[in-house]
Amino acid sequence: MHNILTERLIRMVKSDGSQLEASLPEVYAALMSDQVEAFPALRPHQRHAWHAFLVQLGAMAMHRADLNEPSEDAGEWRRIIRGLTPDFPNDEPWQLVMDDITRPAFMQPPARSKEREADYKNPVATPDELDMLVTSKNHDLKSAVAVQSNVDDLILALITLQTMEGFSGQGNYGISRMNGGMSSRPAFSITPSPRPGIHVKRDITVLLEKSSAAQNGHCLLWTLPWDGSPAEALLLDALHPLFLEVCRRVRLHLDDTSILSVVKAPSKAARIESKALKGRTGDPWTPIDTKDSKSLTLANGGFTYRRTANYLFSPDWDRPELLKPTDAEIRSPDAMMLVAKGMVRGQGKTEGYYERAVPIRKKTQNAMRGGGMDDIGRIATERITEIGTVQRILSHAIQVFLAGGDSDELSPEHRRLARPWLNRLDEIVDRTFFEALQDEFEVEGREERESIRKQWLMDGRYGVVDHARRILADASDSLPCTSIHRFKARANAEGLFEGRIRGNQGLPSLFTERGDDNGN
């Protein structure tokens, strides 16, 4: 019942502005022809779960059918997706509701006997209650409010739960593709366009190029019986490299009024025995920390320029397959775009969902393909160090102002009050960091690079130092200081900033042969 291969259950908005409902094969056909603008039911934090599901399923289906080029025909997609479940001629794994608990349903593993029906006694009121978002006080984002949801709200919530969820209390284990139950499953890839169809098609094509005839193993883990016991835990080597997992025992039912409802059952162990792997499951979107041999756990604050530069250019990180340009992409004159997505998970709460898009120029693409990463990584490290130097001097100057101009009266409270102003400088730099980084990387000569760097640091208006000067002025106008001391405090703070920025512990090279005191 509610067969996603044959029934039109998924809402999508096409490029011409029309909205319609489509079956899963029709979604694939529309994506491959770049006709999809958006999915109305898709919430921001579900974007990677839906994208990854489409890519993994599409790539496995095409590989199993020995196809190299994604089809734009819905009938062909229906045929090859069914090819992944030949033991189920009635499409049980693709139906949202199966009354027989010993038969699989979509993203719902079967039980080994009908007696296990008694395990499923925890009702879920709405799709958003089923979903992975957890709020600490139920006020930032209310839970269990989607009482008038559509079927596709439930489809997307199921996919997100089963492929992205972490540990959430006894009996509720998380997925294997993350480093521990309080981690997350981040995503890094490049794409010619952020349009959903182009991005899905690109990632499917790349994974097919990387596949081999030897890629066997279980593909869709909701087709396998699971009663939640430790003895049933699957080993990674028994799974297809692109396996689609399920981490929770859930079942959907249809009541007398045709309303879908969900019930959950606990498990005594994770579905996949992967704790020792620390998230190193071959996920094609996830960077791996080579020093600690574990997958990336996105920290609070998300994809800051410092972190993103580290993930992209540092030798301490293995970049995932979908972050590497293909030979065809290297030969193409078209620019690419980095797309990064991730959830930050805390202890019993969600600390934010983050996305970042960065245009990647041709020379940077070539470096990411092989050779040149040391060069751009060195430039990025130097720039980040220089920003840190400016921030330290700015912090010292603001603290002096807060102390009434007396450098000997600084306190931890002054340092705390200065912190937001340093963050403001970070926010300004963050907006153009990668564009400016590639400006320098693209030129070859030493003098040309030095000129670009100096202009980025200080050009009289838009440089890092120029922004820091304005922030110091704003801080001096806004922060508390007694009137009798304000003039002295401001003068001493500005004098300290200008003196330190010119000193040996600052950026003295900016002021050689300039002959002025204002950076103009």
Side-chain angles (χ1 to χ4, degrees):
M1 193 174 299
H2 290 317
N3 187 334
I4 66 171
L5 295 188
T6 60
E7 297 181 49
R8 292 174 172 165
L9 304 173
I10 303 168
R11 288 171 291 163
M12 62 181 181
V13 177
K14 300 189 74 172
S15 301
D16 60 7
S18 62
Q19 179 172 314
L20 67 156
E21 295 179 339
S23 66
L24 182 61
E26 289 170 336
V27 167
Y28 272 108
L31 286 168
M32 295 307 106
S33 56
D34 190 26
Q35 296 180 37
V36 179
E37 198 68 32
F39 295 96
L42 191 63
R43 305 169 81 192
H45 71 281
Q46 297 173 334
R47 287 172 186 154
H48 179 53
W50 180 230
H51 174 86
F53 170 83
L54 292 168
V55 171
Q56 290 168 254
L57 179 63
M60 288 189 293
M62 289 183 62
H63 183 257
R64 184 68 60 88
D66 197 24
L67 298 177
N68 297 318
E69 185 65 27
S71 175
E72 296 181 5
D73 178 70
E76 179 71 350
W77 276 106
R78 186 175 295 109
R79 181 187 71 82
I80 66 172
I81 292 173
R82 279 176 169 155
L84 293 173
T85 54
D87 295 335
F88 301 97
N90 295 321
D91 285 346
E92 291 95 330
W94 307 108
Q95 299 191 48
L96 290 183
V97 178
M98 286 295 301
D99 291 333
D100 185 351
I101 200 171
T102 65
R103 307 295 288 172
F106 180 66
M107 303 301 292
Q108 304 160 65
R112 296 185 182 277
S113 68
K114 293 185 178 181
E115 287 72 24
R116 307 306 303 190
E117 186 93 47
D119 294 350
Y120 293 81
K121 54 190 176 183
N122 297 320
V124 177
T126 63
D128 60 321
E129 187 182 357
L130 176 67
D131 205 348
M132 62 179 286
L133 275 184
V134 178
T135 53
S136 58
K137 294 183 182 297
N138 195 34
H139 56 64
D140 292 331
L141 182 65
K142 296 289 186 181
S143 62
V145 296
V147 293
Q148 295 184 351
S149 57
N150 293 79
V151 174
D152 54 351
D153 292 302
L154 196 48
I155 292 171
L156 294 171
L158 266 175
I159 291 171
T160 305
L161 170 79
Q162 298 288 38
T163 64
M164 301 290 285
E165 183 62 282
F167 178 78
S168 56
Q170 185 175 4
N172 297 297
Y173 294 89
I175 64 170
S176 64
R177 295 191 187 274
M178 63 171 62
N179 174 33
M182 298 303 166
S183 184
S184 59
R185 183 189 179 190
F188 283 78
S189 64
I190 57 174
T191 175
S193 168
R195 291 183 58 78
I198 293 176
H199 194 183
V200 169
K201 185 175 183 179
R202 183 265 173 185
D203 282 2
I204 287 176
T205 302
V206 172
L207 293 182
L208 283 174
E209 290 180 2
K210 303 294 182 182
S211 64
S212 68
Q215 288 188 343
N216 296 312
H218 299 297
C219 296
L220 313 178
L221 300 198
W222 69 87
T223 62
L224 305 178
W226 183 33
D227 289 339
S229 70
E232 295 173 294
L234 300 169
L235 299 179
L236 197 66
D237 58 8
L239 310 180
H240 188 283
L242 296 177
F243 66 92
L244 279 164
E245 66 183 303
V246 290
C247 64
R248 300 291 172 85
R249 299 168 66 205
V250 297
R251 297 295 291 195
L252 271 63
H253 297 293
L254 199 64
D255 65 19
D256 295 337
T257 59
S258 298
I259 295 177
L260 285 168
S261 60
V262 186
V263 288
K264 300 187 297 183
S267 55
K268 295 181 179 179
R271 185 66 179 108
I272 299 173
E273 181 55 63
S274 60
K275 185 176 181 180
L277 297 176
K278 298 181 179 180
R280 292 177 288 112
T281 60
D283 189 3
W285 290 275
T286 302
I288 299 296
D289 183 341
T290 57
K291 292 190 301 182
D292 296 327
S293 297
K294 61 183 182 181
S295 66
L296 168 65
T297 297
L298 188 62
N300 199 12
F303 301 104
T304 65
Y305 68 90
R306 285 184 171 90
R307 290 177 187 158
T308 304
N310 188 35
Y311 302 148
L312 291 178
F313 308 128
S314 171
D316 294 336
W317 290 93
D318 272 344
R319 296 182 302 283
E321 285 298 331
L322 293 174
L323 190 54
K324 301 173 184 176
T326 64
D327 292 337
E329 289 166 346
I330 291 294
R331 292 192 298 268
S332 169
D334 298 332
M336 300 288 283
M337 177 177 289
L338 162 72
V339 178
K341 303 174 185 177
M343 179 78 72
V344 178
R345 192 190 311 276
Q347 185 74 33
K349 62 180 179 179
T350 299
E351 296 184 351
Y353 170 76
Y354 298 89
E355 291 188 7
R356 181 156 198 160
V358 177
I360 302 294
R361 303 178 198 171
K362 292 308 298 184
K363 186 173 180 180
T364 306
Q365 289 180 47
N366 292 337
M368 294 172 70
R369 178 67 172 172
M373 291 299 283
D374 290 344
D375 191 14
I376 193 170
R378 176 186 57 78
I379 296 171
T381 299
E382 291 174 355
R383 285 176 170 243
I384 290 170
T385 300
E386 288 162 340
I387 295 166
T389 297
V390 176
Q391 285 182 308
R392 284 194 300 274
I393 295 172
L394 176 62
S395 176
H396 191 184
I398 293 174
Q399 290 178 62
V400 167
F401 174 81
L402 287 164
D406 192 341
S407 297
D408 295 329
E409 296 296 326
L410 307 187
S411 71
E413 177 63 10
H414 294 148
R415 187 180 302 112
R416 184 188 69 80
L417 291 172
R419 185 72 247 177
W421 301 91
L422 310 187
N423 293 342
R424 180 186 292 190
L425 181 61
D426 246 357
E427 291 168 1
I428 292 170
V429 171
D430 196 296
R431 296 169 194 160
T432 59
F433 180 83
F434 289 99
E435 179 183 356
L437 172 66
Q438 292 178 94
D439 285 342
E440 181 176 344
F441 180 58
E442 284 190 325
V443 300
E444 297 292 344
R446 177 179 176 182
E447 291 184 1
E448 289 86 348
R449 284 190 171 185
E450 287 180 351
S451 176
I452 289 174
R453 177 78 64 86
K454 287 183 177 181
Q455 187 175 30
W456 171 70
L457 285 168
M458 191 171 67
D459 66 356
R461 188 174 181 184
Y462 297 114
V464 177
V465 175
D466 304 307
H467 287 303
R469 283 183 173 128
R470 283 192 290 275
I471 289 171
L472 177 57
D474 290 346
S476 300
D477 289 338
S478 304
L479 288 171
C481 181
T482 59
S483 298
I484 195 172
H485 292 137
R486 184 170 289 274
F487 180 80
K488 171 191 171 184
R490 184 164 193 152
N492 286 2
E494 291 175 353
L496 182 143
F497 181 88
E498 298 300 338
R500 284 198 62 189
I501 204 72
R502 287 163 168 76
N504 290 334
Q505 300 302 312
L507 301 171
S509 63
L510 291 179
F511 301 91
T512 57
E513 301 179 2
R514 294 185 68 94
D516 64 46
D517 292 330
N518 298 313
N520 296 317

